[in-house]
Amino acid sequence: MLTLPVILFSQTLRFEQFGVQEGLPSSEVYNLFQDDKGYVWAFTQYGIVKHDGRKFIPVCRNLSFDELKVYVIRRSLQGNLYIGNSNARIYCIRNDSAFLVNGLKAVSKKITTDNEILFDMLVVDSSEIYLSTYKTSYRLFKNKRSLLTGKGPLTVRNIDFKKKGTDFMVIYKKPVPGNTVIRIMNEKDSVLYILPADTMPNWGVRSYLRESHGNYYILRWHGITHIGKNGSVHTTAFKDRLICMETGPGGHIWLGTDNGIYELDSNLRILTHHLKGHAISDVLFDMDNGMWVSSIGHGLFYCRNMFNVFYDDDDALSGNITLLKKIGHTLFIGTSSGSLFSKNSGATYKINLDQSGFSLNDIILFNNEYLIGTKGSILSMDTTLKRFVSKPYTYMNGEWINSYGFAQLNPDTLIFISGSAILKKDKKQGTIISPFFRARTYTRSLIIRSNDHACFVGAQNGLFLLADSLVCPPFLWPLRERKIVALKSGKGNTIWICTKGYGLYVLQPDNKLEKIADCPTNVINNISFTGDTTLLSTNKGLFMSISNNVRHALWSCIFNNEVFASEIYGEHIYIATSQGLVALNKKNVLQKIAPRFYLEAVTSGKEIKDPHHLDLTYQENDLYFDFDIPIYENQEYDLSYHLEGPDAGEGVIAGEQLHLQNLSPGHYLLQVRAVNNTGTHYSSPRIDIPFYIKPAFWQTRWFLVVVILSCLLSAGLVMGYSYRRLKRKGEAEARIIRQLAGYRLTALKAQINPHFISNSLAAIQQLVYSNEIDKANRYIAKFSLLIRYALEYSDKMVTSLANELKIIDITVELEQLRFSNHFIFEKQIDKEINPDDFFVPPLITQPLIENAIWHGLLPLKDRRVPKLILKISIDKDHLVISIIDNGVGRRIPDYNEEENRQGRDSRGTFLITSWIESLNKLFLTNSAAIQFIDLPEKPDAPGGTRVDISFKLEALTKLYNEH
């Protein structure tokens, strides 16, 4: 059986197409250009746009409709962008807007009057511009126009190639009897080459001139001339009309024609032909190794990386790739359609398996034969891969034989997993395959650890150890019920475990299982190691890390489609996908540039600030930083920031704008970096943005010094004139009495216990009469704060638990102030309770706390240390508030029973009970309850009282949302 070689040397480029549906103003595109930031500009019939890797952005919108057709784009020596349009007008581009260059009106009019087209130009600056049309070339210097002419009877036809500095190449035509001599000269009229016109058939009137690796190329309508380093000249003619020419990476020539684009080597041999049938107007090789092609009538075509190789010339290799494995110096490639390829020494061969349609799963070299596992059988071939050693193993003991993976248990025994069993093949038994362990395990991966020959089997429900049967020891329990899709050996006898949906694990030689953090995704299809390079095949693409430590790897996405497996072989990284085999140039991938981003603008309010001089006022502390993020690489990335200064912080920027607000005055440094989708920073680049917010005059040090000195002076004046306070004592008492009258009205509105209010007022009055003015003022301040909270929350259905705790604290502080800290107050709040997240009826505890103090603790008369406890807890779905005192209880022998009951069952308690009854009626269920519990000191003797108020959390939350 012979092996048929398949030669796949030429690469096939895959293009994305952009048309008006994707945002192009027109499908007729004339020119392409990439600016310093990486944006690709497209100049179309109806407008100019730039592409950032995701979308088209309109630019130069200040141009009128008649000025939009741009035929030539060039940079000046200072790096500014200039464009020339169909009306022979020249514009300078600044901040994505077009500004007309002065002094060109006369020459523009002459060019258009002569029905000429502005074909090329060289811009020194806005005052010195060289123009070239199909027939003539001009020099414009300080608004003066002159024709370019050579020495003697020479006429300048073209300006084509800017060589170095201000030098540029020109082509002179000299008519002689019966012929025309073409001279290629520089600006100083130094002759570089003289070409007889008959060396270029169909010479025409216009040319392109390009240079690559010391070779010169001249383009005409139907031919291209190559001038070698040694002065040799030869011309290649084309039947297609030639429109444009560019030199690409590797010294290749790319020709745009009316029938697609051709790739030629340096000797003008045709290598590839793409986009047949399309008229190509321009070609651009961007800084990300991408290739852009513009067309007349079909929009833009974009190849993301022209170094990627796609094997579209073979139907099998352009389909689902299921096997990618290196054995020795050979790379094996298998497909779901049953095709097998071997790649060795740069050539790719297709191996005739003579079997129909079974997906290939694994291949191994054992006992001088290749065993190939498929979903339908196991094939055996000799080492030349030209003939079968035996018939395919397809059927045994009534069941199909297939293989999802091989592993060599020892030098004489090979085991492999099948759909219904784990099988073995022994050298001594020759071609016989026998069961090793029979069970429907749904296993899909197999590996043997080299140090102890332990055999691990990955299945859909976990990772198992193969002994007499499949067992799951305790160290593998974390992987139970998790789908294992691949097992790979790593350095130091480690085993790497790829799971579907649960990430990447590593099993150490001592059986310690560890999950790898910061993986790009939890769906890991495969992992491979070559030296320090690790390739991670996932559902989100192929990720690469160059690190000795995979646990702390910096992953970079190098291919952004689902990948099943990958291998580094020779100069390429081979990738198995469902859309075919892909080969990435390894050198190109390793030299991949870091992501690019730029600070576009800084705004405060509606004012745009200068990003290079950010000296701001204290009012300009609400800042927006806008970034440009062109993305042409395979991986999209985020931006993270680190802010140093008075208000330091860090985080990830949402989108392309960072908003910093309410910044304190001071010096700041904002650092912005690119991060990949695992949150790890790229090594570069980083943008540092310093800025300064000036403080207001009251925020400066000198103002603080003045305030402190003023306070000290005021204190001295107060002390010096203290005797005047005695004279104002009567006025102070009258003012306090007026305040007390206002507080009485406030207390009535808030429905606070009248006894508490009257007692508080009496206490204040007593303090005043006792000349304890400061203490009276403190009491009034606390009391007024309680009244304010009562007014604010008494008319609400519910308030936060945090607000209720404030009222409780103020109530207890007032009572302790009045009774000289006669009792101990303690709060017990469960750790899982955040007071801001729970809601209670307002003022629900105040009357009960007052009762506990007045009627429970104060009558103790030194029997024990009075203590009041507020306890808040969660009981299933209820919030429970408990008020516990160790007082005399609700029945006191020393008091009249009726009087005692009336004292404890105050109007506040009645209001609380009524509120709870109303809440239950509102929700038609027992959502709230109150319970009074006597705490016995000894049999038949009260030792305090506990009041439990419980609320159903769902009811309070619903009530809060409704009101």
Side-chain angles (χ1 to χ4, degrees):
M1 183 177 296
L2 296 177
T3 301
L4 302 177
V6 178
I7 306 301
L8 300 171
F9 291 118
S10 62
Q11 68 183 37
T12 300
L13 299 181
R14 288 185 178 178
F15 289 94
E16 304 172 37
Q17 185 175 8
F18 299 129
V20 293
Q21 297 86 353
E22 290 74 30
L24 267 180
S26 170
S27 59
E28 189 167 324
V29 186
Y30 303 120
N31 284 285
L32 297 169
F33 176 79
Q34 186 172 35
D35 62 23
D36 291 337
K37 292 185 176 181
Y39 289 107
V40 173
W41 292 51
F43 299 83
T44 77
Q45 182 181 16
Y46 300 134
I48 306 171
V49 292
K50 66 179 182 180
H51 198 271
D52 65 355
R54 292 160 293 182
K55 61 182 181 302
F56 287 103
I57 304 170
V59 293
C60 298
R61 287 183 286 187
N62 61 322
L63 287 180
S64 64
F65 188 80
D66 295 336
E67 297 290 299
L68 292 176
K69 292 183 181 180
V70 175
Y71 289 163
V72 58
I73 305 101
R74 290 291 180 268
R75 285 188 183 276
S76 69
L77 298 184
Q78 290 78 22
N80 297 321
L81 180 62
Y82 287 80
I83 62 174
N85 65 9
S86 58
N87 295 322
R89 292 189 177 92
I90 299 176
Y91 292 87
C92 180
I93 305 299
R94 294 193 300 270
N95 298 324
D96 293 348
S97 296
F99 300 90
L100 184 65
V101 176
N102 296 324
L104 295 176
K105 186 175 182 181
V107 70
S108 298
K109 183 178 180 181
K110 176 171 177 53
I111 291 174
T112 54
T113 302
D114 292 345
N115 294 320
E116 279 272 47
I117 295 176
L118 182 60
F119 193 86
D120 206 349
M121 65 181 177
L122 185 148
V123 183
V124 178
D125 55 35
S126 59
S127 64
E128 185 177 5
I129 302 175
Y130 296 84
L131 303 179
S132 177
T133 71
Y134 278 104
K135 299 178 181 178
T136 312
S137 295
Y138 299 92
R139 181 193 184 209
L140 304 174
F141 182 69
K142 295 182 179 179
N143 298 332
K144 294 183 179 180
R145 172 175 58 93
S146 60
L147 285 173
L148 282 178
T149 59
K151 294 180 179 179
L154 299 178
T155 59
V156 179
R157 295 299 187 186
N158 310 117
I159 303 173
D160 288 282
F161 177 69
K162 175 175 170 290
K163 191 176 181 183
K164 292 181 180 179
T166 58
D167 291 344
F168 57 90
M169 303 295 298
V170 296
I171 297 179
Y172 293 89
K173 291 184 65 177
K174 179 181 179 181
V176 296
N179 204 345
T180 300
V181 176
I182 309 301
R183 293 190 178 188
I184 303 176
M185 309 176 71
N186 64 12
E187 186 186 23
K188 300 176 182 178
D189 287 340
S190 298
V191 178
L192 300 178
Y193 297 101
I194 300 177
L195 304 177
D198 56 6
T199 61
M200 299 186 66
N202 302 315
W203 179 255
V205 295
R206 188 62 180 95
S207 66
Y208 270 95
L209 179 65
R210 293 292 183 264
E211 185 270 343
S212 176
H213 299 277
N215 298 304
Y216 286 91
Y217 301 89
I218 303 176
L219 180 73
R220 284 295 185 177
W221 296 126
H222 293 284
I224 178 172
T225 296
H226 170 224
I227 307 174
K229 298 178 182 178
N230 58 1
S232 62
V233 178
H234 73 274
T235 299
T236 300
F238 282 81
K239 64 178 181 179
D240 300 320
R241 179 183 176 188
L242 306 184
I243 301 176
C244 63
M245 174 178 63
E246 289 295 337
T247 56
H252 288 186
I253 308 301
W254 295 80
L255 298 179
T257 75
D258 59 358
N259 185 30
I261 184 169
Y262 289 88
E263 179 187 8
L264 286 66
D265 65 12
S266 58
N267 294 316
L268 304 184
R269 289 190 294 264
I270 296 177
L271 299 178
T272 59
H273 185 194
H274 305 284
L275 305 176
K276 297 177 182 179
H278 299 312
I280 305 304
S281 57
D282 200 4
V283 180
L284 171 69
F285 302 98
D286 66 26
M287 60 183 67
D288 296 308
N289 299 313
M291 179 178 178
W292 295 79
V293 179
S294 62
S295 71
I296 305 298
H298 294 90
L300 286 179
F301 297 90
Y302 176 43
C303 173
R304 287 194 174 271
N305 195 319
M306 59 178 300
F307 293 106
N308 296 350
V309 179
F310 300 90
Y311 296 88
D312 292 338
D313 49 357
D314 187 279
D315 292 339
L317 286 177
S318 61
N320 187 16
I321 307 299
T322 57
L323 170 63
L324 198 61
K325 186 174 182 179
K326 285 189 298 185
I327 299 179
H329 297 290
T330 304
L331 176 68
F332 288 94
I333 306 154
T335 73
S336 61
S337 61
S339 297
L340 180 64
F341 298 83
S342 67
K343 191 172 186 65
N344 201 327
S345 301
T348 302
Y349 301 94
K350 187 173 184 179
I351 301 168
N352 189 354
L353 298 181
D354 197 22
Q355 57 106 24
S356 57
F358 289 120
S359 176
L360 301 186
N361 298 324
D362 198 3
I363 185 171
I364 193 170
L365 182 62
F366 176 73
N367 195 23
N368 292 322
E369 62 177 317
Y370 281 104
L371 292 177
I372 305 166
T374 78
K375 282 191 176 181
S377 62
I378 298 174
L379 309 176
S380 173
M381 302 190 74
D382 65 4
T383 55
T384 66
L385 293 170
K386 293 182 179 180
R387 66 181 184 87
F388 290 108
V389 174
S390 62
K391 293 182 179 180
Y393 304 103
T394 58
Y395 205 65
M396 183 183 68
N397 297 332
E399 295 184 353
W400 285 97
I401 293 179
N402 53 23
S403 178
Y404 292 96
F406 298 102
Q408 193 164 344
L409 185 62
N410 53 55
D412 296 326
T413 306
L414 179 74
I415 62 174
F416 49 93
I417 50 177
S418 183
S420 59
I422 295 178
L423 308 175
K424 70 175 181 178
K425 189 176 189 298
D426 198 292
K427 285 184 179 181
K428 298 177 182 179
Q429 295 178 315
T431 61
I432 299 174
I433 291 179
S434 59
F436 186 82
F437 173 76
R438 299 184 62 82
R440 293 192 177 275
T441 56
Y442 297 101
T443 54
R444 292 298 182 267
S445 53
L446 180 70
I447 199 167
I448 295 176
R449 190 162 55 188
S450 59
N451 64 324
D452 57 4
H453 300 288
C455 181
F456 294 91
V457 178
Q460 292 189 1
N461 59 341
L463 184 62
F464 299 91
L465 189 61
L466 179 62
D468 295 333
S469 62
L470 291 181
V471 296
C472 185
F475 65 87
L476 295 179
W477 285 356
L479 293 174
R480 285 182 297 185
E481 303 304 324
R482 299 191 173 185
K483 187 173 183 179
I484 311 300
V485 293
L487 300 171
K488 283 294 182 73
S489 296
K491 294 181 180 179
N493 294 312
T494 56
I495 293 178
W496 293 84
I497 304 158
C498 304
T499 74
K500 182 165 288 188
Y502 299 95
L504 179 66
Y505 291 81
V506 60
L507 183 65
Q508 301 293 345
D510 59 357
N511 291 332
K512 179 181 178 182
L513 185 67
E514 177 186 355
K515 183 175 182 180
I516 303 302
D518 297 331
C519 275
T521 173
N522 284 325
V523 179
I524 311 296
N525 294 325
N526 215 317
I527 187 171
S528 63
F529 306 93
T530 302
D532 293 336
T533 303
T534 303
L535 296 176
L536 202 63
S537 303
T538 77
N539 65 320
K540 292 185 177 180
L542 180 62
F543 293 83
M544 182 181 68
S545 173
I546 302 176
S547 172
N548 290 317
N549 190 351
V550 179
R551 294 175 183 82
H552 304 287
L554 172 61
W555 297 106
S556 178
C557 182
I558 60 175
F559 187 79
N560 65 346
N561 205 342
E562 183 171 14
V563 176
F564 300 123
S566 59
E567 290 284 357
I568 296 179
Y569 182 78
E571 299 299 321
H572 288 83
I573 300 173
Y574 290 87
I575 305 172
T577 76
S578 59
Q579 291 81 35
L581 180 67
V582 180
L584 306 184
N585 183 280
K586 182 175 63 175
K587 182 179 179 181
N588 171 251
V589 170
L590 294 177
Q591 293 178 347
K592 179 183 176 184
I593 62 174
R596 301 184 305 274
F597 60 96
Y598 309 93
L599 178 63
E600 177 67 15
V602 180
T603 56
S604 175
K606 295 183 179 180
E607 183 179 356
I608 299 177
K609 312 301 294 186
D610 182 358
H612 303 291
H613 301 88
L614 289 175
D615 287 332
L616 310 169
T617 67
Y618 74 94
Q619 295 174 321
E620 296 174 322
N621 63 345
D622 197 8
L623 300 175
Y624 291 87
F625 296 84
D626 293 293
F627 296 91
D628 277 344
I629 311 177
I631 298 176
Y632 294 100
E633 301 105 355
N634 287 325
Q635 177 190 16
E636 291 196 7
Y637 57 91
D638 296 319
L639 299 180
S640 70
Y641 72 92
H642 176 76
L643 181 65
E644 298 178 359
D647 295 330
E650 60 184 13
V652 176
I653 298 173
E656 299 181 358
Q657 186 180 79
L658 172 62
H659 183 198
L660 299 177
Q661 53 186 334
N662 298 325
L663 294 175
S664 302
H667 290 275
Y668 289 89
L669 176 63
L670 176 63
Q671 297 176 327
V672 182
R673 300 181 68 176
V675 310
N676 62 16
N677 56 10
T678 67
T680 308
H681 287 89
Y682 287 95
S683 58
S684 63
R686 186 185 77 188
I687 296 179
D688 292 341
I689 310 170
F691 62 95
Y692 175 62
I693 299 178
K694 300 176 183 178
F697 73 91
W698 61 82
Q699 296 172 318
T700 57
R701 286 186 177 181
W702 64 264
F703 181 79
L704 181 61
V705 171
V706 170
V707 170
I708 294 175
L709 292 176
S710 299
C711 292
L712 293 175
L713 179 61
S714 299
L717 293 174
V718 169
M719 293 177 63
Y721 293 95
S722 59
Y723 71 95
R724 297 179 60 182
R725 295 176 59 192
L726 297 175
K727 295 182 180 180
R728 295 195 296 270
K729 180 180 179 180
E731 298 176 2
E733 291 177 351
R735 183 169 62 255
I736 291 173
I737 292 173
R738 288 194 299 270
Q739 290 177 348
L740 293 178
Y743 293 151
R744 291 190 184 98
L745 295 176
T746 303
L748 290 174
K749 181 178 180 182
Q751 301 187 43
I752 296 179
N753 193 315
H755 294 295
F756 171 75
I757 297 175
S758 61
N759 290 336
S760 297
L761 296 175
I764 295 171
Q765 192 173 31
Q766 181 61 37
L767 292 173
V768 171
Y769 289 145
S770 300
N771 201 25
E772 296 183 88
I773 302 302
D774 291 338
K775 192 172 182 179
N777 283 333
R778 290 199 305 271
Y779 197 102
I780 290 171
K782 292 291 184 181
F783 186 72
S784 64
L785 185 60
L786 176 63
I787 296 300
R788 190 186 73 185
Y789 280 125
L791 288 174
E792 184 176 354
Y793 301 116
S794 62
D795 59 343
K796 295 183 179 180
M797 296 295 288
V798 289
T799 187
S800 69
L801 178 59
N803 292 329
E804 184 68 12
L805 289 174
K806 293 177 183 177
I807 294 176
I808 293 172
D809 290 340
I810 296 172
T811 301
V812 173
E813 288 178 17
L814 286 173
E815 296 295 355
Q816 287 179 328
L817 184 63
R818 183 190 306 177
F819 297 110
S820 302
N821 295 317
H822 183 66
F823 61 90
I824 299 173
F825 177 59
E826 181 179 322
K827 286 190 291 186
Q828 300 176 1
I829 303 175
D830 286 358
K831 293 182 179 180
E832 67 265 22
I833 295 177
N834 183 355
D836 291 320
D837 297 336
F838 291 85
F839 308 99
V840 295
L843 306 174
I844 193 69
T845 58
Q846 192 276 336
L848 298 175
I849 290 176
E850 180 191 356
N851 285 348
I853 296 171
W854 278 81
H855 304 294
L857 299 180
L858 295 183
L860 278 175
K861 299 179 179 178
D862 299 327
R863 297 182 190 177
R864 50 182 170 268
V865 177
K867 187 174 184 180
L868 178 65
I869 299 175
L870 175 69
K871 183 178 180 182
I872 303 176
S873 60
I874 299 292
D875 185 9
K876 296 181 180 179
D877 59 348
H878 282 74
L879 177 69
V880 180
I881 302 176
S882 301
I883 301 167
I884 307 167
D885 68 76
N886 65 344
V888 298
R890 293 193 296 166
R891 295 179 177 272
I892 307 175
D894 299 341
Y895 287 82
N896 179 273
E897 180 179 343
E898 181 66 23
E899 180 183 350
N900 183 46
R901 181 161 48 82
Q902 290 177 356
R904 300 227 63 171
D905 296 338
S906 65
R907 174 167 176 75
T909 304
F910 170 75
L911 290 173
I912 293 171
T913 304
S914 300
W915 205 102
I916 289 175
E917 291 176 356
S918 300
L919 182 66
N920 290 332
K921 291 178 181 179
L922 178 65
F923 289 103
L924 300 177
T925 182
N926 293 328
S927 300
I930 185 169
Q931 185 178 10
F932 295 87
I933 303 171
D934 293 322
L935 304 177
E937 183 179 30
K938 56 186 178 178
D940 300 328
T945 304
R946 173 175 179 152
V947 183
D948 290 338
I949 313 173
S950 64
F951 302 98
K952 195 169 184 179
L953 295 173
E954 180 182 1
L956 290 177
T957 303
K958 182 177 181 181
L959 193 60
Y960 175 81
N961 293 332
E962 291 177 352
H963 296 276

